[in-house]
Amino acid sequence: MQDVADPTAAEPPRAQGRVLKAVAKVWPGFLTGAVEGRAHDLIEQGRYDDAVAVLERGVERFGARAVPAVLLAWCLHTAGRQAEALTWVARAVDDDPEHADALWLRADILFELERPEEATASLWAAVELDPENGRYYMQLAWIRYQDAEYAVTRDLVEQGLERAPDDAWVQHIAGRIYDHHLRHRRAQRHYERAVALDAWNTVARLDLAELLQARGRCSAGVRTAWETTRLEPLAAADAEEARSVYDTVLRRWPWRWYEWALRAAVVLNALDWMLPTPRAADWALIGAVGVPYAAGWVRSLLVLPAPCRRDLVAKGRRGPFAGTVARTLAVAGGISLVLLGELNAVQHLGVLALLALAYAEWFRRAYLIAQGRAAGGEPAGRH
């Protein structure tokens, strides 16, 4: 009874609900802002499942108009609940058929549901409503880049870049597509532009780190991944992904040098087989290849940040690193003996077979290093 007598007491939940429903009838925007505001706070924290729960409670308590349908659809989509997301985005499109972003979101959801034809049609409808939106063209390129001809995809990419040159997401997707088509130089330029536009784009940074290694810039790749792990603050998922990529590129660093030693050995074996040379020329060839290789290896090691050099030989990596160095030295010593010796054709074939086996082992180990890394996933931040 004290609560009833005290006008300052907290309002009972049932009465509070009646008041809010009354407010919703007179002033629906009030509840929409309250529910949406709380959801946006959770979205900023990367808590998409919690944001969905807040929005769904708003629908349950105050009706569907208390929640923007497109926002709930996007949260459901981001949380991985695609079938429910499709229902809500369909409601958003029905309410406003000229809502271009709703059509774009519907395309994204349909793509996740493996319905690419419907996704493409929805995106073209968005393009017709907003033909100057570069993101729409880039999303079309992303949907088609694996199946369409390169020329078709490139045209869409270029249209997207022309309309949104300062959009970090557009630049990142362009990099991903050119990377897929092995246009590594162009991909690197777009990754770097995406990072310049959005320094906190961890996915673009990590893509750049791996691309740099693919282009032979092993230490630059390690440094880029290491710098990404040091960004503060990082969401838990981003931090875990950054550590995973850093570990991968760090393990690749000596393994790529070993691959180059194998490549050099194959070329030198073929040259010695086809063009027998005197002993003095053999020594000169060994020096011409060995000295630049050793100098490049040492320089590449020294340009790594000191923490990265320590991580190369840290517990758990020390053994693989030492093993890779030993393999590299064995290949260098073996090919030197081949050059200095007088091998016949059969012996050269035997050396080539050994190098082929070593290269097969290199490829197997490279696959194991990269195993578990996601490939081709769409970067975050598309809406």
Side-chain angles (χ1 to χ4, degrees), residues 56-115:
E56 287 179 331
R57 283 197 298 271
V59 171
E60 182 181 345
R61 295 182 65 186
F62 313 120
R65 65 174 182 168
V67 170
V70 71
L71 176 63
L72 179 51
W74 182 80
C75 289
L76 287 164
H77 168 53
T78 308
R81 296 163 59 179
Q82 307 303 340
E84 296 167 86
L86 185 59
T87 299
W88 278 94
V89 79
R91 179 178 298 183
V93 173
D94 289 342
D95 291 343
D96 184 2
E98 296 189 357
H99 193 324
D101 280 344
L103 290 166
W104 177 25
L105 177 58
R106 184 175 68 177
D108 216 14
I109 295 168
L110 288 167
F111 181 61
E112 291 292 331
L113 292 171
E114 299 183 357
R115 294 159 64 177

Short mmCIF file of all heavy atoms in Angstrom, two decimals, residues 56-115:
data_model
loop_
_atom_site.label_atom_id
_atom_site.label_comp_id
_atom_site.label_asym_id
_atom_site.label_seq_id
_atom_site.Cartn_x
_atom_site.Cartn_y
_atom_site.Cartn_z
N GLU A 56 12.87 -6.89 -31.55
CA GLU A 56 11.77 -7.84 -31.51
C GLU A 56 10.87 -7.60 -30.29
O GLU A 56 9.64 -7.75 -30.37
CB GLU A 56 12.31 -9.27 -31.51
CG GLU A 56 12.87 -9.71 -32.85
CD GLU A 56 13.42 -11.11 -32.84
OE1 GLU A 56 13.89 -11.57 -31.77
OE2 GLU A 56 13.37 -11.76 -33.90
N ARG A 57 11.47 -7.23 -29.16
CA ARG A 57 10.67 -6.89 -27.99
C ARG A 57 9.82 -5.65 -28.27
O ARG A 57 8.67 -5.54 -27.82
CB ARG A 57 11.55 -6.67 -26.77
CG ARG A 57 12.05 -7.96 -26.14
CD ARG A 57 12.56 -7.72 -24.72
NE ARG A 57 13.68 -6.79 -24.67
CZ ARG A 57 14.95 -7.15 -24.78
NH1 ARG A 57 15.26 -8.44 -24.93
NH2 ARG A 57 15.91 -6.26 -24.72
N GLY A 58 10.40 -4.70 -29.00
CA GLY A 58 9.64 -3.51 -29.36
C GLY A 58 8.43 -3.86 -30.22
O GLY A 58 7.34 -3.33 -30.03
N VAL A 59 8.61 -4.78 -31.18
CA VAL A 59 7.50 -5.22 -32.02
C VAL A 59 6.44 -5.93 -31.19
O VAL A 59 5.23 -5.70 -31.34
CB VAL A 59 8.02 -6.16 -33.13
CG1 VAL A 59 6.86 -6.80 -33.88
CG2 VAL A 59 8.91 -5.40 -34.10
N GLU A 60 6.90 -6.80 -30.28
CA GLU A 60 5.97 -7.58 -29.46
C GLU A 60 5.14 -6.69 -28.54
O GLU A 60 3.94 -6.91 -28.35
CB GLU A 60 6.77 -8.60 -28.64
CG GLU A 60 5.90 -9.50 -27.77
CD GLU A 60 6.74 -10.47 -26.98
OE1 GLU A 60 7.94 -10.65 -27.31
OE2 GLU A 60 6.21 -11.06 -26.01
N ARG A 61 5.76 -5.67 -27.98
CA ARG A 61 5.07 -4.84 -26.98
C ARG A 61 4.27 -3.70 -27.59
O ARG A 61 3.20 -3.35 -27.10
CB ARG A 61 6.09 -4.28 -25.99
CG ARG A 61 6.78 -5.32 -25.14
CD ARG A 61 7.73 -4.68 -24.16
NE ARG A 61 7.03 -3.84 -23.19
CZ ARG A 61 7.66 -3.08 -22.28
NH1 ARG A 61 8.97 -3.03 -22.26
NH2 ARG A 61 6.96 -2.36 -21.43
N PHE A 62 4.82 -3.11 -28.68
CA PHE A 62 4.21 -1.87 -29.16
C PHE A 62 3.75 -1.94 -30.61
O PHE A 62 3.25 -0.96 -31.15
CB PHE A 62 5.19 -0.71 -29.01
CG PHE A 62 5.85 -0.67 -27.65
CD1 PHE A 62 7.22 -0.76 -27.53
CD2 PHE A 62 5.08 -0.55 -26.51
CE1 PHE A 62 7.83 -0.72 -26.29
CE2 PHE A 62 5.68 -0.52 -25.26
CZ PHE A 62 7.06 -0.61 -25.15
N GLY A 63 3.93 -3.09 -31.26
CA GLY A 63 3.49 -3.22 -32.64
C GLY A 63 4.60 -2.99 -33.64
O GLY A 63 5.65 -2.42 -33.33
N ALA A 64 4.35 -3.41 -34.88
CA ALA A 64 5.40 -3.37 -35.91
C ALA A 64 5.84 -1.95 -36.25
O ALA A 64 6.98 -1.73 -36.64
CB ALA A 64 4.89 -4.07 -37.17
N ARG A 65 4.93 -0.95 -36.09
CA ARG A 65 5.31 0.40 -36.48
C ARG A 65 6.28 1.04 -35.49
O ARG A 65 6.81 2.11 -35.75
CB ARG A 65 4.08 1.29 -36.64
CG ARG A 65 3.31 1.53 -35.36
CD ARG A 65 2.20 2.52 -35.60
NE ARG A 65 1.44 2.82 -34.40
CZ ARG A 65 0.57 3.80 -34.30
NH1 ARG A 65 0.38 4.59 -35.35
NH2 ARG A 65 -0.08 4.02 -33.18
N ALA A 66 6.51 0.40 -34.33
CA ALA A 66 7.47 0.93 -33.37
C ALA A 66 8.91 0.64 -33.79
O ALA A 66 9.85 1.14 -33.17
CB ALA A 66 7.22 0.34 -31.97
N VAL A 67 9.09 -0.17 -34.84
CA VAL A 67 10.43 -0.58 -35.27
C VAL A 67 10.54 -0.39 -36.78
O VAL A 67 9.66 -0.85 -37.52
CB VAL A 67 10.68 -2.07 -34.91
CG1 VAL A 67 11.95 -2.58 -35.57
CG2 VAL A 67 10.75 -2.24 -33.41
N PRO A 68 11.60 0.27 -37.27
CA PRO A 68 11.80 0.35 -38.72
C PRO A 68 12.05 -1.04 -39.29
O PRO A 68 12.99 -1.74 -38.86
CB PRO A 68 13.04 1.24 -38.86
CG PRO A 68 13.16 1.95 -37.55
CD PRO A 68 12.62 1.03 -36.52
N ALA A 69 11.24 -1.46 -40.25
CA ALA A 69 11.35 -2.82 -40.78
C ALA A 69 12.72 -3.07 -41.41
O ALA A 69 13.30 -4.15 -41.26
CB ALA A 69 10.25 -3.06 -41.82
N VAL A 70 13.26 -2.06 -42.08
CA VAL A 70 14.55 -2.26 -42.75
C VAL A 70 15.67 -2.41 -41.74
O VAL A 70 16.63 -3.17 -41.96
CB VAL A 70 14.82 -1.11 -43.74
CG1 VAL A 70 15.15 0.19 -43.01
CG2 VAL A 70 15.94 -1.48 -44.70
N LEU A 71 15.56 -1.73 -40.58
CA LEU A 71 16.59 -1.88 -39.55
C LEU A 71 16.56 -3.27 -38.95
O LEU A 71 17.62 -3.90 -38.77
CB LEU A 71 16.39 -0.82 -38.46
CG LEU A 71 17.36 -0.91 -37.27
CD1 LEU A 71 18.79 -0.69 -37.72
CD2 LEU A 71 16.96 0.09 -36.18
N LEU A 72 15.37 -3.77 -38.63
CA LEU A 72 15.28 -5.12 -38.08
C LEU A 72 15.75 -6.14 -39.10
O LEU A 72 16.44 -7.11 -38.75
CB LEU A 72 13.84 -5.41 -37.65
CG LEU A 72 13.57 -6.81 -37.06
CD1 LEU A 72 14.55 -7.14 -35.95
CD2 LEU A 72 12.13 -6.91 -36.57
N ALA A 73 15.41 -5.94 -40.37
CA ALA A 73 15.87 -6.86 -41.41
C ALA A 73 17.39 -6.89 -41.48
O ALA A 73 18.01 -7.95 -41.60
CB ALA A 73 15.28 -6.45 -42.77
N TRP A 74 17.99 -5.70 -41.40
CA TRP A 74 19.46 -5.64 -41.48
C TRP A 74 20.11 -6.32 -40.28
O TRP A 74 21.09 -7.05 -40.42
CB TRP A 74 19.92 -4.19 -41.56
CG TRP A 74 21.40 -4.08 -41.68
CD1 TRP A 74 22.15 -4.24 -42.80
CD2 TRP A 74 22.33 -3.81 -40.63
NE1 TRP A 74 23.48 -4.09 -42.52
CE2 TRP A 74 23.62 -3.81 -41.18
CE3 TRP A 74 22.19 -3.56 -39.27
CZ2 TRP A 74 24.76 -3.59 -40.43
CZ3 TRP A 74 23.33 -3.32 -38.52
CH2 TRP A 74 24.59 -3.34 -39.10
N CYS A 75 19.56 -6.10 -39.09
CA CYS A 75 20.12 -6.74 -37.90
C CYS A 75 19.98 -8.25 -37.97
O CYS A 75 20.91 -8.99 -37.62
CB CYS A 75 19.44 -6.20 -36.64
SG CYS A 75 19.88 -4.50 -36.24
N LEU A 76 18.83 -8.73 -38.41
CA LEU A 76 18.64 -10.17 -38.58
C LEU A 76 19.61 -10.74 -39.61
O LEU A 76 20.19 -11.81 -39.42
CB LEU A 76 17.20 -10.46 -39.01
CG LEU A 76 16.12 -10.29 -37.94
CD1 LEU A 76 14.74 -10.21 -38.58
CD2 LEU A 76 16.18 -11.44 -36.93
N HIS A 77 19.79 -10.00 -40.70
CA HIS A 77 20.74 -10.41 -41.74
C HIS A 77 22.16 -10.49 -41.19
O HIS A 77 22.88 -11.48 -41.40
CB HIS A 77 20.66 -9.40 -42.88
CG HIS A 77 21.74 -9.50 -43.90
ND1 HIS A 77 22.07 -10.67 -44.55
CD2 HIS A 77 22.59 -8.55 -44.39
CE1 HIS A 77 23.06 -10.44 -45.39
NE2 HIS A 77 23.39 -9.17 -45.31
N THR A 78 22.56 -9.47 -40.44
CA THR A 78 23.91 -9.45 -39.88
C THR A 78 24.10 -10.54 -38.83
O THR A 78 25.19 -11.08 -38.67
CB THR A 78 24.20 -8.07 -39.26
OG1 THR A 78 23.90 -7.06 -40.22
CG2 THR A 78 25.66 -7.95 -38.86
N ALA A 79 23.00 -10.86 -38.12
CA ALA A 79 23.07 -11.92 -37.10
C ALA A 79 22.98 -13.32 -37.71
O ALA A 79 23.03 -14.31 -36.98
CB ALA A 79 21.95 -11.72 -36.09
N GLY A 80 22.82 -13.41 -39.03
CA GLY A 80 22.80 -14.71 -39.69
C GLY A 80 21.42 -15.34 -39.79
O GLY A 80 21.32 -16.50 -40.19
N ARG A 81 20.37 -14.62 -39.49
CA ARG A 81 19.00 -15.16 -39.54
C ARG A 81 18.34 -14.69 -40.84
O ARG A 81 17.49 -13.80 -40.85
CB ARG A 81 18.23 -14.73 -38.30
CG ARG A 81 18.82 -15.31 -37.02
CD ARG A 81 18.36 -14.60 -35.76
NE ARG A 81 16.91 -14.62 -35.58
CZ ARG A 81 16.30 -14.06 -34.54
NH1 ARG A 81 17.02 -13.46 -33.58
NH2 ARG A 81 14.98 -14.10 -34.44
N GLN A 82 18.77 -15.30 -41.95
CA GLN A 82 18.43 -14.77 -43.27
C GLN A 82 16.96 -14.93 -43.62
O GLN A 82 16.37 -14.04 -44.23
CB GLN A 82 19.30 -15.45 -44.34
CG GLN A 82 20.79 -15.40 -44.07
CD GLN A 82 21.33 -13.99 -43.89
OE1 GLN A 82 20.71 -13.02 -44.31
NE2 GLN A 82 22.50 -13.87 -43.27
N ALA A 83 16.34 -16.06 -43.28
CA ALA A 83 14.94 -16.27 -43.64
C ALA A 83 14.05 -15.23 -42.97
O ALA A 83 13.15 -14.66 -43.62
CB ALA A 83 14.51 -17.68 -43.25
N GLU A 84 14.29 -14.96 -41.69
CA GLU A 84 13.51 -13.94 -40.99
C GLU A 84 13.81 -12.55 -41.54
O GLU A 84 12.92 -11.71 -41.66
CB GLU A 84 13.82 -13.99 -39.49
CG GLU A 84 13.41 -15.29 -38.82
CD GLU A 84 14.01 -15.41 -37.44
OE1 GLU A 84 13.41 -14.88 -36.48
OE2 GLU A 84 15.10 -16.01 -37.31
N ALA A 85 15.07 -12.32 -41.88
CA ALA A 85 15.45 -11.03 -42.45
C ALA A 85 14.71 -10.79 -43.76
O ALA A 85 14.26 -9.66 -44.04
CB ALA A 85 16.96 -10.98 -42.68
N LEU A 86 14.57 -11.84 -44.57
CA LEU A 86 13.88 -11.68 -45.85
C LEU A 86 12.42 -11.29 -45.64
O LEU A 86 11.88 -10.46 -46.38
CB LEU A 86 13.97 -12.99 -46.64
CG LEU A 86 13.39 -12.95 -48.05
CD1 LEU A 86 14.08 -11.89 -48.91
CD2 LEU A 86 13.49 -14.33 -48.71
N THR A 87 11.78 -11.84 -44.62
CA THR A 87 10.38 -11.49 -44.33
C THR A 87 10.25 -10.01 -44.00
O THR A 87 9.35 -9.31 -44.50
CB THR A 87 9.87 -12.34 -43.15
OG1 THR A 87 9.93 -13.72 -43.49
CG2 THR A 87 8.43 -11.95 -42.81
N TRP A 88 11.15 -9.50 -43.17
CA TRP A 88 11.07 -8.11 -42.76
C TRP A 88 11.46 -7.15 -43.87
O TRP A 88 10.87 -6.08 -44.01
CB TRP A 88 11.94 -7.87 -41.51
CG TRP A 88 11.22 -8.27 -40.27
CD1 TRP A 88 11.27 -9.47 -39.63
CD2 TRP A 88 10.29 -7.47 -39.53
NE1 TRP A 88 10.44 -9.47 -38.54
CE2 TRP A 88 9.82 -8.26 -38.45
CE3 TRP A 88 9.81 -6.17 -39.68
CZ2 TRP A 88 8.91 -7.78 -37.52
CZ3 TRP A 88 8.89 -5.69 -38.75
CH2 TRP A 88 8.44 -6.49 -37.69
N VAL A 89 12.45 -7.52 -44.68
CA VAL A 89 12.83 -6.61 -45.76
C VAL A 89 11.74 -6.60 -46.82
O VAL A 89 11.51 -5.57 -47.48
CB VAL A 89 14.20 -6.99 -46.35
CG1 VAL A 89 14.12 -8.17 -47.32
CG2 VAL A 89 14.83 -5.79 -47.05
N ALA A 90 11.04 -7.72 -47.01
CA ALA A 90 9.91 -7.73 -47.94
C ALA A 90 8.83 -6.77 -47.46
O ALA A 90 8.20 -6.06 -48.26
CB ALA A 90 9.35 -9.14 -48.07
N ARG A 91 8.61 -6.72 -46.14
CA ARG A 91 7.64 -5.77 -45.58
C ARG A 91 8.08 -4.33 -45.85
O ARG A 91 7.27 -3.47 -46.20
CB ARG A 91 7.49 -6.02 -44.08
CG ARG A 91 6.51 -5.07 -43.41
CD ARG A 91 6.36 -5.40 -41.94
NE ARG A 91 5.81 -6.73 -41.74
CZ ARG A 91 5.53 -7.24 -40.54
NH1 ARG A 91 5.76 -6.52 -39.44
NH2 ARG A 91 5.03 -8.45 -40.43
N ALA A 92 9.38 -4.07 -45.70
CA ALA A 92 9.90 -2.73 -45.94
C ALA A 92 9.70 -2.32 -47.40
O ALA A 92 9.33 -1.18 -47.70
CB ALA A 92 11.37 -2.66 -45.56
N VAL A 93 9.95 -3.26 -48.33
CA VAL A 93 9.79 -2.96 -49.75
C VAL A 93 8.31 -2.77 -50.09
O VAL A 93 7.95 -1.89 -50.90
CB VAL A 93 10.41 -4.08 -50.60
CG1 VAL A 93 10.10 -3.87 -52.08
CG2 VAL A 93 11.93 -4.12 -50.39
N ASP A 94 7.45 -3.57 -49.49
CA ASP A 94 6.00 -3.41 -49.73
C ASP A 94 5.52 -2.05 -49.25
O ASP A 94 4.68 -1.40 -49.89
CB ASP A 94 5.23 -4.52 -49.03
CG ASP A 94 5.42 -5.88 -49.69
OD1 ASP A 94 5.85 -5.90 -50.86
OD2 ASP A 94 5.16 -6.90 -49.04
N ASP A 95 6.03 -1.61 -48.09
CA ASP A 95 5.63 -0.31 -47.55
C ASP A 95 6.13 0.84 -48.41
O ASP A 95 5.46 1.87 -48.53
CB ASP A 95 6.16 -0.14 -46.12
CG ASP A 95 5.46 -1.07 -45.13
OD1 ASP A 95 4.38 -1.59 -45.46
OD2 ASP A 95 6.01 -1.29 -44.03
N ASP A 96 7.32 0.67 -48.99
CA ASP A 96 7.91 1.74 -49.79
C ASP A 96 8.66 1.12 -50.97
O ASP A 96 9.86 0.84 -50.87
CB ASP A 96 8.86 2.59 -48.95
CG ASP A 96 9.41 3.79 -49.72
OD1 ASP A 96 9.03 3.96 -50.90
OD2 ASP A 96 10.22 4.54 -49.14
N PRO A 97 7.97 0.86 -52.09
CA PRO A 97 8.62 0.20 -53.24
C PRO A 97 9.77 0.99 -53.83
O PRO A 97 10.57 0.43 -54.61
CB PRO A 97 7.47 0.07 -54.26
CG PRO A 97 6.22 0.19 -53.45
CD PRO A 97 6.56 1.14 -52.33
N GLU A 98 9.88 2.27 -53.50
CA GLU A 98 10.97 3.08 -54.04
C GLU A 98 12.08 3.31 -53.02
O GLU A 98 12.89 4.22 -53.16
CB GLU A 98 10.42 4.42 -54.53
CG GLU A 98 9.44 4.26 -55.70
CD GLU A 98 9.06 5.59 -56.32
OE1 GLU A 98 9.52 6.64 -55.80
OE2 GLU A 98 8.33 5.59 -57.32
N HIS A 99 12.12 2.48 -52.00
CA HIS A 99 13.18 2.53 -50.99
C HIS A 99 14.38 1.75 -51.55
O HIS A 99 14.46 0.53 -51.43
CB HIS A 99 12.67 1.92 -49.69
CG HIS A 99 13.56 2.18 -48.50
ND1 HIS A 99 14.94 2.23 -48.59
CD2 HIS A 99 13.26 2.41 -47.20
CE1 HIS A 99 15.45 2.47 -47.39
NE2 HIS A 99 14.45 2.58 -46.53
N ALA A 100 15.31 2.46 -52.17
CA ALA A 100 16.41 1.80 -52.87
C ALA A 100 17.29 0.98 -51.93
O ALA A 100 17.73 -0.12 -52.28
CB ALA A 100 17.27 2.85 -53.59
N ASP A 101 17.55 1.50 -50.72
CA ASP A 101 18.38 0.75 -49.79
C ASP A 101 17.71 -0.54 -49.34
O ASP A 101 18.38 -1.54 -49.07
CB ASP A 101 18.73 1.62 -48.58
CG ASP A 101 19.86 2.59 -48.87
OD1 ASP A 101 20.56 2.38 -49.89
OD2 ASP A 101 20.04 3.55 -48.11
N ALA A 102 16.38 -0.53 -49.24
CA ALA A 102 15.67 -1.76 -48.88
C ALA A 102 15.82 -2.80 -49.99
O ALA A 102 16.00 -4.00 -49.72
CB ALA A 102 14.20 -1.46 -48.62
N LEU A 103 15.77 -2.35 -51.24
CA LEU A 103 15.99 -3.26 -52.36
C LEU A 103 17.41 -3.81 -52.35
O LEU A 103 17.65 -4.99 -52.65
CB LEU A 103 15.71 -2.54 -53.67
CG LEU A 103 14.24 -2.19 -53.94
CD1 LEU A 103 14.14 -1.18 -55.08
CD2 LEU A 103 13.46 -3.45 -54.26
N TRP A 104 18.36 -2.95 -52.00
CA TRP A 104 19.76 -3.38 -51.90
C TRP A 104 19.92 -4.43 -50.81
O TRP A 104 20.56 -5.47 -51.00
CB TRP A 104 20.64 -2.16 -51.63
CG TRP A 104 22.09 -2.46 -51.43
CD1 TRP A 104 22.81 -3.53 -51.91
CD2 TRP A 104 23.03 -1.66 -50.72
NE1 TRP A 104 24.11 -3.43 -51.54
CE2 TRP A 104 24.29 -2.30 -50.81
CE3 TRP A 104 22.93 -0.47 -50.01
CZ2 TRP A 104 25.42 -1.78 -50.21
CZ3 TRP A 104 24.07 0.04 -49.43
CH2 TRP A 104 25.30 -0.60 -49.52
N LEU A 105 19.32 -4.16 -49.65
CA LEU A 105 19.39 -5.12 -48.55
C LEU A 105 18.73 -6.44 -48.93
O LEU A 105 19.24 -7.52 -48.62
CB LEU A 105 18.74 -4.54 -47.31
CG LEU A 105 18.67 -5.46 -46.08
CD1 LEU A 105 20.07 -5.92 -45.66
CD2 LEU A 105 17.99 -4.75 -44.92
N ARG A 106 17.59 -6.37 -49.61
CA ARG A 106 16.92 -7.59 -50.05
C ARG A 106 17.83 -8.39 -50.99
O ARG A 106 17.91 -9.63 -50.88
CB ARG A 106 15.61 -7.27 -50.76
CG ARG A 106 14.82 -8.52 -51.15
CD ARG A 106 13.47 -8.18 -51.74
NE ARG A 106 13.57 -7.53 -53.04
CZ ARG A 106 12.52 -7.19 -53.78
NH1 ARG A 106 11.30 -7.42 -53.33
NH2 ARG A 106 12.70 -6.61 -54.95
N ALA A 107 18.55 -7.71 -51.85
CA ALA A 107 19.48 -8.40 -52.74
C ALA A 107 20.58 -9.11 -51.95
O ALA A 107 20.94 -10.25 -52.24
CB ALA A 107 20.10 -7.40 -53.72
N ASP A 108 21.09 -8.43 -50.93
CA ASP A 108 22.15 -9.01 -50.12
C ASP A 108 21.66 -10.28 -49.40
O ASP A 108 22.36 -11.29 -49.32
CB ASP A 108 22.62 -7.98 -49.10
CG ASP A 108 24.10 -8.06 -48.84
OD1 ASP A 108 24.81 -8.72 -49.62
OD2 ASP A 108 24.57 -7.47 -47.84
N ILE A 109 20.43 -10.20 -48.87
CA ILE A 109 19.87 -11.36 -48.17
C ILE A 109 19.62 -12.51 -49.14
O ILE A 109 19.92 -13.68 -48.84
CB ILE A 109 18.56 -10.94 -47.46
CG1 ILE A 109 18.87 -9.92 -46.35
CG2 ILE A 109 17.85 -12.16 -46.87
CD1 ILE A 109 17.64 -9.24 -45.78
N LEU A 110 19.08 -12.20 -50.31
CA LEU A 110 18.84 -13.24 -51.31
C LEU A 110 20.15 -13.90 -51.75
O LEU A 110 20.21 -15.11 -52.00
CB LEU A 110 18.12 -12.64 -52.52
CG LEU A 110 16.66 -12.26 -52.29
CD1 LEU A 110 16.14 -11.40 -53.43
CD2 LEU A 110 15.80 -13.52 -52.13
N PHE A 111 21.19 -13.10 -51.82
CA PHE A 111 22.50 -13.65 -52.19
C PHE A 111 22.97 -14.63 -51.12
O PHE A 111 23.49 -15.70 -51.42
CB PHE A 111 23.51 -12.50 -52.36
CG PHE A 111 24.88 -12.97 -52.75
CD1 PHE A 111 25.10 -13.67 -53.92
CD2 PHE A 111 25.98 -12.69 -51.93
CE1 PHE A 111 26.38 -14.08 -54.28
CE2 PHE A 111 27.24 -13.10 -52.28
CZ PHE A 111 27.45 -13.81 -53.46
N GLU A 112 22.78 -14.27 -49.84
CA GLU A 112 23.15 -15.17 -48.75
C GLU A 112 22.32 -16.45 -48.78
O GLU A 112 22.79 -17.51 -48.37
CB GLU A 112 22.97 -14.47 -47.40
CG GLU A 112 23.96 -13.35 -47.13
CD GLU A 112 25.38 -13.86 -46.95
OE1 GLU A 112 25.53 -15.01 -46.49
OE2 GLU A 112 26.32 -13.12 -47.27
N LEU A 113 21.08 -16.36 -49.26
CA LEU A 113 20.20 -17.52 -49.36
C LEU A 113 20.44 -18.30 -50.66
O LEU A 113 19.66 -19.19 -51.00
CB LEU A 113 18.74 -17.07 -49.28
CG LEU A 113 18.29 -16.53 -47.92
CD1 LEU A 113 16.90 -15.92 -48.02
CD2 LEU A 113 18.31 -17.64 -46.86
N GLU A 114 21.51 -17.93 -51.38
CA GLU A 114 21.89 -18.60 -52.63
C GLU A 114 20.79 -18.51 -53.69
O GLU A 114 20.45 -19.49 -54.35
CB GLU A 114 22.27 -20.06 -52.36
CG GLU A 114 23.46 -20.20 -51.43
CD GLU A 114 23.88 -21.64 -51.20
OE1 GLU A 114 23.21 -22.53 -51.74
OE2 GLU A 114 24.87 -21.85 -50.47
N ARG A 115 20.27 -17.31 -53.82
CA ARG A 115 19.28 -17.02 -54.86
C ARG A 115 19.80 -15.84 -55.69
O ARG A 115 19.27 -14.74 -55.66
CB ARG A 115 17.92 -16.71 -54.23
CG ARG A 115 17.34 -17.92 -53.51
CD ARG A 115 16.29 -17.57 -52.46
NE ARG A 115 15.10 -16.95 -53.01
CZ ARG A 115 14.03 -16.62 -52.28
NH1 ARG A 115 14.01 -16.89 -50.98
NH2 ARG A 115 12.98 -16.05 -52.84
#
